[in-house]
Amino acid sequence: MRSFMINPCVTNTQSPPILEARSWLSLYNGSMGAPIDLSQAAPPYAPSVELLERISTAATSPEFARYGPVPGEDTLREAYARHVSSIYGSKIGSASVSITAGANQAFVIAAMVVAQRGDTILLPAPWYFNHKMTLDMLGIEARAVGCRAEDGFIPDIPSLLTAIDASVRAIVLVTPNNPTGAIYPPSLIETCAEIGRERGIWLIIDETYRDFAASGGAHCRSAYQPAFSNGSIGLYSFSKSLAIPGHRLGAMVHPAGIAEQVTKLQDCLQICPPRAGQEGVAWALEGLEDWRTSKRHEFVRRANYFSAAMKDVPKWKIESIGAYFAYVRHPHQGESAFSVGKRLAVENGLLTIPGSYFGPQQEDYLRVSFGCLKSDAFAELPRRFAMADRR
Amino acid sequence: MRSFMINPCVTNTQSPPILEARSWLSLYNGSMGAPIDLSQAAPPYAPSVELLERISTAATSPEFARYGPVPGEDTLREAYARHVSSIYGSKIGSASVSITAGANQAFVIAAMVVAQRGDTILLPAPWYFNHKMTLDMLGIEARAVGCRAEDGFIPDIPSLLTAIDASVRAIVLVTPNNPTGAIYPPSLIETCAEIGRERGIWLIIDETYRDFAASGGAHCRSAYQPAFSNGSIGLYSFSKSLAIPGHRLGAMVHPAGIAEQVTKLQDCLQICPPRAGQEGVAWALEGLEDWRTSKRHEFVRRANYFSAAMKDVPKWKIESIGAYFAYVRHPHQGESAFSVGKRLAVENGLLTIPGSYFGPQQEDYLRVSFGCLKSDAFAELPRRFAMADRR
């Protein structure tokens, strides 16, 4: 009897680290008051009741229990094409839209369309850990391009250019960024698209948190100019914007010319996206525009509350804040992000995510997700952070 | 400006051929009566109303709109573990069960866990085309192991052994088979598991059509004996058995020891399976047992009707028939399966799927899916087939 081999690309991939951090709050004894969870990337509020009713109604239909179109429902693809056309100020047709089971799946598809084992994809670091995991499992090199705090964690062009060699197939930009919250300026996106265009390198823009940027996504417009759209793939998540992650829906915008390749991957990965949810989302793109706007404003308000509160603990420095997340430098140089994050959680009941979960050289940082905090809870934060400084 | 490279493993993968065949009926002029569609692998009937009501109720809940557990809902994993334990007569725990968005996704995960680019997986031919597509896109060699009509398209062991070399990571068995309908005998499965055990080669058993076998799946028991379960991965589809493909749910049974690897892949491919459907299916495994049994009996009856009807056109030979599908040899030697299939559809309004869609050396065959035919429609089949013989 021989042992059964497992793909080493998969065994060597790090498991999602977030679960371990989540367990820390269970070790907190409550001495500083109720625990405060700043770890969540999931929407902190319930979805619209009207949206759930529409999904529920679709789920009663035998029609939506059948297989649907592989690239997604026509109505949703058309609605999303209109939606992004209006955001980007550029005409995007439904042939350029594919519906996926969330933005993670959209990234897997994008990565597989453009690269194979032995190729390289550039990930500005800190990165979104599922991107790193996906590339590791596919045997595609995830090449880190370090971003600097003094640049607000915006990738810098000389570093990107240095990282490019003949094996590079794509540059990934996550904007608004997870974990830093940074919103990339149009000029950066345009420059990356231009670099890609000259070298035949794809630009993969993950806009999962687009709806939470104060601009509502207009920052991405430049990548969808006709001059660049041939080499751009945009990823998006209805899970975040409509607070329905359990219904598993996201989208890709891609050149119509690669639709056939995307469809082959979708056919194998899931045949079609789950259907009842698509029926609801096709309505919600217009029907819940005001709802999404109000959520956006709420997030922007909370970012302001968070910035204001942190002024009371100036040793904890907000290095970056934008949509959904802030990236905070802790004052304990030489202590790992893991150790600081665990102390904050276990001793002070304040859960953040260590920067080290997001790539190399992130030991000085913690990711903070402020969207779930009630407005009166922000005042409590300085005390919790400051207590970690007394040792 | 350079052109943007696309992964050649993806471009070189054949698109799902089934759509082209589906278009043939639109060219039929109706001269022989209403078109008869024998092409469908999807369930030809509506799902249980009670199941849809349960899914719909779950979809109204904000709780099921949140992220769920990556490997699937605990209730469903436990229910499926009980279900397969009873079918296989072997104790399988929920740690060995992962819920996927259908059996295609389960195959992608299984293939990625056991193999990477450069490795080989054995596919008995004719094969299920999404398996071939998945392996092609991953850069894994899909090595055909030809099955013979005189063996009822059951893979023969000497051919399997000949195909094994050091690069082989898994043997795939689809039973009941798509496209042939063949139900593999326990002795074959046991021998394959033993071959695998000796050489460290995984056995991937796709049981998508398990519920439609007269035995109800007991034929697979041997692969789940404790002696073999370390190297077996079972794939299954709730889409087929409960007629809810639009809700995208399937399952894997795997050694608990690889659960962590499976979970990493699930986390990247979709984070969690769609949730509302899982709530319904967890109930349906026991709650709709009688419903599924009645559907099974219906399929077995229709297999008998089909066999009886084809006695009137003995030149068209049923080479294999079992669950869901029959594999029929056409009498026009030298004419391609594509040509015969297209003539049947366009001239006689009878849609089948050419054998050539299922791998090499299948030009003499057509796949017939008889499940959608009303009992009085079988009598019409001989005339439609026979008309294709007059040229």
Side-chain angles (χ1 to χ4, degrees):
Chain A
M1 179 173 168
R2 297 266 299 278
S3 67
F4 295 95
M5 271 187 61
I6 301 178
N7 178 357
C9 292
V10 175
T11 43
N12 293 336
T13 295
Q14 204 198 347
S15 279
I18 211 106
L19 290 178
E20 186 184 3
R22 293 262 160 79
S23 70
W24 290 338
L25 275 188
S26 67
L27 305 172
Y28 168 59
N29 68 7
S31 58
M32 308 245 331
I36 300 175
D37 184 349
L38 303 176
S39 75
Q40 298 287 336
Y45 38 77
S48 139
V49 170
E50 192 174 353
L51 173 56
L52 292 188
E53 275 169 8
R54 283 171 187 265
I55 296 174
S56 171
T57 300
T60 62
S61 152
E63 179 53 33
F64 286 110
R66 299 165 66 100
Y67 283 116
V70 175
E73 304 292 317
D74 292 343
T75 49
L76 177 53
R77 292 170 69 209
E78 282 156 17
Y80 190 67
R82 282 195 304 275
H83 180 70
V84 287
S85 294
S86 110
I87 288 175
Y88 298 143
S90 177
K91 178 76 195 131
I92 291 161
S94 63
S96 290
V97 171
S98 297
I99 305 303
T100 63
N104 272 12
Q105 184 173 83
F107 183 78
V108 171
I109 293 170
M112 287 188 72
V113 166
V114 306
Q116 61 176 316
R117 186 177 151 206
D119 294 338
T120 301
I121 289 183
L122 301 188
L123 293 189
W127 54 47
Y128 172 49
F129 48 75
N130 277 114
H131 288 175
K132 165 73 169 152
M133 287 173 66
T134 293
L135 299 181
D136 285 351
M137 290 197 284
L138 291 169
I140 297 167
E141 184 192 339
R143 187 171 296 167
V145 180
C147 300
R148 292 185 301 250
E150 56 266 38
D151 298 336
F153 292 97
I154 307 291
D156 81 297
I157 298 302
S159 301
L160 272 171
L161 288 171
T162 304
I164 291 176
D165 63 20
S167 71
V168 172
R169 296 284 170 269
I171 300 167
V172 176
L173 299 180
V174 180
T175 176
N177 191 263
N178 178 4
T180 69
I183 295 167
Y184 294 175
S187 62
L188 172 81
I189 296 167
E190 193 155 333
T191 305
C192 289
E194 184 60 39
I195 289 170
R197 205 169 73 108
E198 283 165 7
R199 293 164 179 77
I201 293 173
W202 291 87
L203 188 60
I204 299 175
I205 306 189
D206 184 337
E207 301 178 359
T208 292
Y209 298 96
R210 184 175 68 212
D211 279 26
F212 303 98
S215 72
H219 59 287
C220 292
R221 183 175 298 195
S222 53
Y224 292 93
Q225 290 169 12
F228 298 128
S229 60
N230 269 347
S232 291
I233 300 176
L235 317 180
Y236 182 69
S237 162
F238 299 114
S239 304
K240 308 291 180 184
S241 70
L242 295 168
I244 51 164
H247 292 285
R248 308 310 310 122
L249 289 169
M252 303 176 72
V253 175
H254 51 70
I258 65 165
E260 186 189 351
Q261 314 308 328
V262 170
T263 301
K264 285 184 218 170
L265 279 156
Q266 289 180 293
D267 195 51
C268 289
L269 287 177
Q270 66 171 9
I271 303 188
C272 69
R275 295 190 72 191
Q278 292 186 75
E279 178 73 358
V281 170
W283 162 80
L285 278 173
E286 287 187 14
L288 289 182
E289 200 175 327
D290 291 348
W291 186 90
R292 293 201 308 282
T293 303
S294 80
K295 297 300 179 192
R296 165 164 48 240
H297 291 161
E298 220 168 277
F299 267 88
V300 171
R301 257 197 313 276
R302 286 172 188 192
N304 292 335
Y305 291 147
F306 183 71
S307 295
M310 295 302 281
K311 287 196 175 128
D312 290 346
V313 276
K315 288 201 283 183
W316 295 75
K317 190 179 172 207
I318 298 176
E319 292 284 9
S320 172
I321 185 166
Y324 225 96
F325 301 114
Y327 211 48
V328 173
R329 182 195 290 266
H330 66 74
H332 303 280
Q333 237 194 332
E335 186 179 355
S336 72
F338 183 92
S339 168
V340 175
K342 188 166 179 182
R343 284 203 293 119
L344 273 177
V346 175
E347 296 170 14
N348 305 344
L350 186 63
L351 185 61
T352 60
I353 301 289
S356 46
Y357 288 5
F358 304 100
Q361 290 162 350
Q362 307 300 318
E363 292 297 353
D364 295 341
Y365 306 100
L366 302 171
R367 186 189 79 178
V368 170
S369 173
F370 43 74
C372 51
L373 275 194
K374 297 255 188 301
S375 54
D376 57 353
F378 286 91
E380 168 70 5
L381 295 180
R383 191 173 72 102
R384 301 276 179 115
F385 278 109
M387 279 298 287
D389 301 338
R390 301 198 193 158
R391 304 193 71 176
Chain B
M1 180 174 167
R2 299 265 299 278
S3 67
F4 295 96
M5 272 187 59
I6 302 178
N7 177 357
C9 292
V10 175
T11 42
N12 293 336
T13 295
Q14 203 198 347
S15 278
I18 212 108
L19 291 177
E20 185 184 2
R22 293 263 160 79
S23 71
W24 290 339
L25 274 188
S26 65
L27 304 172
Y28 167 59
N29 68 7
S31 59
M32 308 245 333
I36 300 175
D37 184 348
L38 303 176
S39 75
Q40 297 288 338
Y45 39 77
S48 138
V49 171
E50 193 175 352
L51 172 57
L52 292 188
E53 275 168 7
R54 284 171 186 265
I55 296 174
S56 170
T57 300
T60 62
S61 152
E63 179 52 34
F64 286 110
R66 300 165 65 101
Y67 283 117
V70 176
E73 304 291 319
D74 291 343
T75 49
L76 177 53
R77 291 170 68 208
E78 282 156 18
Y80 189 67
R82 283 195 303 276
H83 180 71
V84 287
S85 293
S86 113
I87 289 175
Y88 298 144
S90 178
K91 178 74 194 135
I92 290 162
S94 63
S96 290
V97 171
S98 298
I99 306 304
T100 62
N104 272 12
Q105 185 174 81
F107 183 78
V108 171
I109 293 170
M112 286 188 73
V113 166
V114 306
Q116 61 177 318
R117 185 179 150 205
D119 293 337
T120 301
I121 290 182
L122 300 188
L123 294 189
W127 55 48
Y128 171 47
F129 47 77
N130 278 113
H131 288 175
K132 164 74 169 154
M133 287 174 67
T134 293
L135 299 181
D136 285 351
M137 291 197 283
L138 291 169
I140 298 166
E141 183 192 339
R143 187 171 296 167
V145 179
C147 300
R148 293 185 299 249
E150 56 266 40
D151 298 335
F153 292 97
I154 308 290
D156 81 295
I157 298 302
S159 300
L160 271 171
L161 288 172
T162 303
I164 290 175
D165 63 22
S167 72
V168 172
R169 296 284 169 269
I171 300 167
V172 176
L173 299 180
V174 181
T175 176
N177 192 263
N178 178 4
T180 70
I183 295 167
Y184 294 175
S187 62
L188 172 80
I189 295 168
E190 194 154 334
T191 305
C192 288
E194 185 59 41
I195 289 171
R197 204 168 75 107
E198 283 166 7
R199 292 163 180 78
I201 293 173
W202 292 88
L203 188 60
I204 298 174
I205 306 188
D206 184 338
E207 301 178 359
T208 292
Y209 298 95
R210 183 176 68 211
D211 278 28
F212 304 97
S215 71
H219 58 288
C220 292
R221 182 175 298 195
S222 52
Y224 292 93
Q225 289 170 14
F228 298 127
S229 59
N230 269 347
S232 291
I233 301 176
L235 317 180
Y236 182 67
S237 162
F238 299 115
S239 304
K240 307 291 180 184
S241 69
L242 295 168
I244 50 165
H247 292 284
R248 307 312 309 124
L249 289 169
M252 302 175 73
V253 174
H254 51 70
I258 65 164
E260 186 190 351
Q261 313 308 328
V262 170
T263 301
K264 286 185 220 171
L265 280 156
Q266 289 180 293
D267 195 50
C268 290
L269 288 176
Q270 66 171 12
I271 303 188
C272 69
R275 294 189 73 191
Q278 291 185 75
E279 178 73 0
V281 170
W283 163 80
L285 279 172
E286 287 187 14
L288 290 182
E289 200 174 327
D290 291 348
W291 186 90
R292 292 202 307 283
T293 302
S294 81
K295 297 301 179 191
R296 165 165 46 244
H297 291 161
E298 219 168 277
F299 267 88
V300 172
R301 257 197 314 276
R302 285 172 188 191
N304 292 335
Y305 291 146
F306 182 73
S307 295
M310 294 302 282
K311 288 197 175 125
D312 289 347
V313 276
K315 288 200 284 182
W316 295 74
K317 190 178 171 208
I318 298 176
E319 292 284 8
S320 173
I321 185 166
Y324 225 98
F325 301 113
Y327 212 48
V328 173
R329 182 194 292 266
H330 66 73
H332 303 280
Q333 237 193 333
E335 185 179 358
S336 72
F338 182 94
S339 167
V340 175
K342 188 167 180 181
R343 284 204 291 120
L344 273 176
V346 175
E347 296 171 14
N348 305 344
L350 186 63
L351 184 61
T352 60
I353 301 289
S356 46
Y357 288 5
F358 304 100
Q361 289 161 350
Q362 307 300 318
E363 292 296 355
D364 294 342
Y365 305 101
L366 302 171
R367 186 188 79 176
V368 170
S369 173
F370 42 75
C372 52
L373 275 194
K374 298 255 187 303
S375 54
D376 57 354
F378 286 91
E380 168 69 5
L381 293 179
R383 192 174 70 102
R384 301 276 179 116
F385 279 109
M387 278 299 286
D389 302 338
R390 302 199 194 158
R391 305 196 70 178

